[in-house]
Structures are given as structure tokens and as C-alpha cells.
Amino acid sequence: MTQSYDADVAIVGFGPTGVIAALTLAKNGVSAVALERDQDLYPRARAVTVDDWTMRIFQDLGIDERIEKKIEPQRALRWITYDGTEIMRVDRPLSSLGAKARAYNIYQPTMEAELRAAAQEYGRRLTVHYGARVTGIDQDADGVTVTSTDTTTGETRTTRARYAIGADGGSSATRSAAHCRLLGDTGDVTWVVIDCRVKRWWPDRDVLTFWSDPQRPVVDIALSAGNHRWEIPLKPAETPADYPTAAEVWPLLEALGVTPDDVEIHQHAFYQHHTRMADTWRRGRVFLAGDAAHLMPPWAGAGMQTGMRDAHDLGWKLARVLTGELPESWLDTYEAERRPNAAFYTRLAVDLGRVITQQDTDTHPPLNAPPALQAGWLRGPVGDTSLVGRMIPQPSAGDTTGRMARLDDLLGSGFVLLGDDTDPADLLTAQEKAGWDALNARYLAVRPKTAHTRGPDELVDLDDVLLPWLRDHGVRAVALRPDKFVAATDVSGLAVPA
């Protein structure tokens, strides 16, 4: 009996994680249908930043330039006390990943609207049903059936897909239907988040400031498009009922020296911080991503971004499995790679929270940690002395026809082996090359800009970045995955990872 599917993949939830999943699947040639409970975009700004790793994902999806117009570079971060003592400061370095800045301030509703606009351009390959509340998820050996109810008409719809992704947030219906448990804790402190429209500039407005204090720590951050946010904890005797309107909120800002001359309060809401992770991110053909899989405090600015990275990792693998380019066993690498990364950023957020609340004034967490994988589809040791699991830097490069572009634009979206002034295929055994050929890998020699190219399969290191990067680690060749992470080097062996 021939199966009939509405799409290759059903996505439950169409927030940032769901949109990136949908864009990644569609870009890689498979169809997706998204089911979103809300009719309209969520109006509150939750996430506040994206970095150059996330921008590189946007670049892969062909949307980085349009997103960049909606966000603004972030200059620096600082931790200070109310008497003006600076505990720690981090000036944002230049990006090595091809973005114009290391980090950006965002206004989430504006950025998310642009992401959804990009999704609309995929036409029939990507369908979104808004106002669809998912009430059931059932799977069998051949696919997944998602049942939803139209929140306006009450009509029931069933959607049949080969796989499903739950990107439906912390209260995920997908997680419940898949019988996954969310483990961890919720903080006992309630925070008021105050979003404001800027009316005039003030000194250091563009520096993300953490007011460190054991009683009343504050996050003070510029958002893009003329918005600004403060996040302030309520005291033990206070409740959200004490702050029903902006009039009651104003004294909190005035205590920081903020006046109605500076801003207009746009909205305020109350949150508690969660440190939780699902016991498993997959049940058969159903996967969890983003807040459905993990929840973390906001201090590292990584919650939304971790979800988008989940979606991109899962998306390019699912697409290649569905098109027959990769075996189904590749899907086992999703949680193996993404869980350790989510755990890293959760620990980082917790550590930063301890600095902000002055529980720990001696720790200096690694705010500029480069993108890295600790496990998964890799060959060889990972760590500071190895390139395995690292994302390759992205300088400007040239090809043999004289074209100059960012590296990723010349590498394409498949598997690639790069050699230091040599054809990397020459470093492979016949068996190793057969393994990479089965993945349709390209083999490119990277030449210095001081030399002539010699053949069609070459790149030129215009910024003198790639060749020193390889040589600093004693590496002659690297094998890259489609997401631009190093899967293997000649130091540990260039055979296709298991």
C-alpha cells in the first residue's frame, strides 16, 4: 500500500526554532508543514541577542543580509555594582566567522517577522497553518499523524508526515505526546521584564550592563530598532500583583536613574527562570528542539539561539536522510551533538547568574567561546588543541576564475575536504576516498594568495587566515560537514567518521 503524506516533516510550533527548522528543510529540498497555535506573532521581546554563529546559519539559509537590516551590532558587555565599580568587562571582538560583528542586539518580534517573511517565499514546499492547536501526535513504522484543532472554527485537521519536530516551547504538547520527561528546576525568584521605547540617548546605552547586586541585580540592555529592556527581580515579599500598570513599574526604573525623558514603557511581563532538559530528545520519528528540549536562564543570551542551532542541525540531517543522501542512522547524531552544547550554554548561563547576583565574584565565564561540538559525527579527539569539532573560520576567499566571496559561498552546502596547498584527495587511501565519494564530497586545495592556482578545484586564502589556522595546529587537511564544522583532520585520520 502506497503511503500518502501531506509533507515530509511536520513542525509543531513556528517560533524561531520552528522557522529555522522549516527554512533548513525547504532549502535542502524537502517539504514541511508547520502548525502554530497562535494566529499572530507573539508580541513580547523574549530573546535579546544573536551572535556570529547564528548569523552563519542565516547565511547558509540565504537570509543573513535581510536579517542584518533588522538588528544592530553589540559593542560590549559589563558587570558593575551600584556604586560604579566594574567587576568585569568584555569588549566584543571582531568575528572570525564572516559576520560583520561578533554579536548583535535584536528586537525579537521584528526579527521573527522577517524570518517568517522569508519562509513565505518557499511557496508550496513550506506550508504554515496558524491557529492550529495540536491535540494528538501518533506515530507508526512509516510516519507520524498530527491532529490539530482550528482555534477559530473548531475544525479538526490531521496532518501526515514522515517525521515530526516539536518546536512548541517549554509547555510542549509534542514532548508530552512523545512521553519525554522534562527534568530540572525552576527558580523561585520572579523577574519583571520591562520593554521600553527610547526617547533620547544616554551614556553607555549601547553597552549591555549587568547591575550586580545580591538583592536587586538588573539586566540593562539595548534592543534594536530603538527599544531598550530592563529585567529586575522582585523581592521576596513582592508579587506581580504589586505591579499592575506602568505607574507601579516606574519606581524600579527611576532607582536606576531612568526617567520619562529617557524612555516610554511599552509593556512589562513576569517570568521565572528554568534550568531543565528533556530526558530524551527523540522518540522514534518524533524529535524535540529548542525550549521543548531544554530551558535555561537568560544570562548567556543563548536560549533562543540554542534552539535555532538545534533546528539547523536536525534540519540538514533530516533533509539528507529523506532525499536518500544519508542513511537513517544519521539521525542518531542529532541529540549526541546538540545535548552537550545545550548543557554547556545552560552551565554558562547559571555561572553568569552567580556573577550577577554576587554569589561568585571570582569566576570569569568564557563569554566568547567559539562554536564547538563535543561529540557526534566526528573522528578524533576534541578540545583546545584539536580542530575536530570546531567551526572553520570564514575569511574572504577566491576561486580559480577570479571570483572573490565569503568562504561558505564558495564551499557550497555539502561535504568538503580542504588541503593546505595540496589536493586533499592525495592524502587519502582508496578506501577513505571511496567513503567521502559516497557522500558526494568535494576536494579543494587552498592556495596562498602569493601563488598561482593550478587546477579547477582550488581556493585562494585571500585574507591569509585558513592556511595559518591549519598550520598553527599542525594540520595539512580537514574534512568539513555541511554545517562547516570540522569532522576530521589528517592528524587523527581522514577516514569518514563512524
Side-chain angles (χ1 to χ4, degrees):
M1 179 178 175
T2 302
Q3 286 281 334
S4 177
Y5 298 97
D6 298 294
D8 292 312
V9 182
I11 302 168
V12 183
F14 206 55
T17 297
V19 176
I20 294 300
L23 287 170
T24 305
L25 291 164
K27 182 250 183 182
N28 284 283
V30 301
S31 61
V33 57
L35 303 160
E36 168 57 47
R37 179 187 60 192
D38 295 326
Q39 291 282 359
D40 300 311
L41 195 69
Y42 189 74
R44 296 194 182 280
R46 292 159 291 178
V48 297
T49 186
V50 296
D51 64 15
D52 50 355
W53 179 358
T54 302
M55 289 299 293
R56 198 161 183 180
I57 291 174
F58 292 161
Q59 181 188 350
D60 177 67
L61 300 176
I63 59 173
D64 59 316
E65 292 184 0
R66 63 192 294 174
I67 295 297
E68 198 171 56
K69 294 176 182 178
K70 305 294 182 181
I71 60 181
E72 297 167 1
Q74 187 181 98
R75 184 162 65 91
L77 304 86
R78 63 178 177 175
W79 286 256
I80 64 174
T81 58
Y82 282 103
D83 64 4
T85 301
E86 189 170 282
I87 299 172
M88 183 167 63
R89 183 185 181 96
V90 177
D91 292 315
R92 289 298 195 185
L94 296 176
S95 171
S96 66
L97 302 184
K100 294 180 181 179
R102 174 66 178 81
Y104 296 81
N105 297 325
I106 70 169
Y107 185 61
Q108 184 176 338
T110 301
M111 188 189 78
E112 200 170 334
E114 193 65 26
L115 289 172
R116 290 189 177 186
Q120 289 180 341
E121 297 171 9
Y122 273 98
R124 292 183 179 179
R125 194 182 297 172
L126 175 52
T127 303
V128 184
H129 297 300
Y130 293 102
R133 181 173 61 86
V134 170
T135 56
I137 300 175
D138 300 290
Q139 62 176 307
D140 51 49
D142 299 309
V144 182
T145 301
V146 181
T147 304
S148 61
T149 300
D150 189 297
T151 57
T152 300
T153 66
E155 178 186 356
T156 297
R157 174 191 284 116
T158 58
T159 302
R160 181 72 174 164
R162 299 177 189 274
Y163 294 94
I165 300 173
D168 45 346
S171 57
S172 171
T174 309
R175 187 179 61 237
S176 298
H179 304 292
C180 302
R181 295 184 302 148
L182 192 62
L183 308 177
D185 301 304
T186 296
D188 56 4
V189 176
T190 298
W191 292 70
V192 57
V193 177
I194 310 167
D195 287 332
C196 300
R197 307 289 192 199
V198 174
K199 297 169 68 174
R200 67 175 181 179
W201 187 268
W202 59 87
D204 288 326
R205 177 193 167 259
D206 56 339
V207 178
L208 198 168
T209 299
F210 298 98
W211 297 87
S212 298
D213 184 80
Q215 300 300 320
R216 191 78 100 177
V218 176
V219 182
D220 174 346
I221 180 171
L223 307 181
S224 64
N227 296 280
H228 204 95
R229 167 185 286 182
W230 286 267
E231 300 181 13
I232 304 173
L234 302 187
K235 292 181 178 179
E238 295 176 323
T239 71
D242 296 321
Y243 298 94
T245 70
E248 289 78 23
V249 170
W250 261 116
L252 297 176
L253 295 182
E254 290 168 341
L256 300 170
V258 182
T259 73
D261 291 334
D262 302 314
V263 298
E264 173 188 354
I265 295 178
H266 171 52
Q267 57 191 0
H268 70 285
F270 301 89
Y271 295 99
Q272 288 179 294
H273 297 162
H274 306 280
T275 305
R276 295 177 176 268
M277 191 173 294
D279 59 345
T280 181
W281 296 14
R282 178 187 184 185
R283 293 286 190 206
R285 292 177 172 270
V286 179
F287 297 83
L288 302 179
D291 285 357
H294 47 75
L295 296 162
M296 65 185 71
W299 308 119
M304 178 192 71
Q305 296 192 91
T306 301
M308 292 195 290
R309 293 163 191 166
D310 295 344
H312 186 251
D313 182 279
L314 179 57
W316 70 260
K317 292 171 181 175
L318 263 177
R320 284 169 169 79
V321 168
L322 286 162
T323 57
E325 298 175 57
L326 296 176
E328 200 271 346
S329 58
W330 260 82
L331 301 180
D332 294 335
T333 69
Y334 165 59
E335 184 174 348
E337 292 175 359
R338 292 304 307 148
R339 177 181 281 271
N341 192 261
F344 169 83
Y345 279 102
T346 300
R347 290 192 300 270
L348 176 60
V350 170
D351 289 344
L352 287 171
R354 292 178 62 82
V355 174
I356 294 162
T357 57
Q358 292 194 348
Q359 297 176 62
D360 186 349
T361 58
D362 297 322
T363 299
H364 296 278
L367 288 175
N368 292 319
L373 299 176
Q374 300 174 31
W377 198 78
L378 307 170
R379 173 173 292 282
V382 298
D384 293 341
T385 61
S386 173
L387 292 186
V388 175
R390 302 245 206 127
M391 182 176 276
I392 190 171
Q394 185 181 195
S396 295
D399 66 11
T400 56
T401 67
R403 178 188 176 201
M404 295 180 285
R406 287 180 294 178
L407 178 67
D408 290 5
D409 298 334
L410 299 179
L411 292 180
S413 58
F415 295 89
V416 184
L417 279 75
L418 301 178
D420 176 358
D421 206 17
T422 190
D423 183 348
D426 293 340
L427 304 179
L428 303 176
T429 66
Q431 184 178 7
E432 289 171 343
K433 188 171 185 302
W436 289 109
D437 286 346
L439 294 172
N440 297 312
R442 298 175 66 199
Y443 306 92
L444 299 173
V446 181
R447 306 296 186 190
K449 64 181 179 180
T450 55
H452 290 283
T453 54
R454 306 168 204 171
D457 297 320
E458 301 183 0
L459 291 177
V460 180
D461 184 9
L462 294 177
D463 287 341
D464 196 28
V465 167
L466 288 180
L467 296 178
W469 186 70
L470 295 173
R471 293 167 186 174
D472 286 347
H473 292 85
V475 170
R476 295 180 64 198
V478 294
L480 302 181
R481 302 148 37 118
D483 55 7
K484 306 307 183 287
F485 282 96
V486 176
T489 74
D490 62 300
V491 173
S492 302
L494 285 169
V496 172

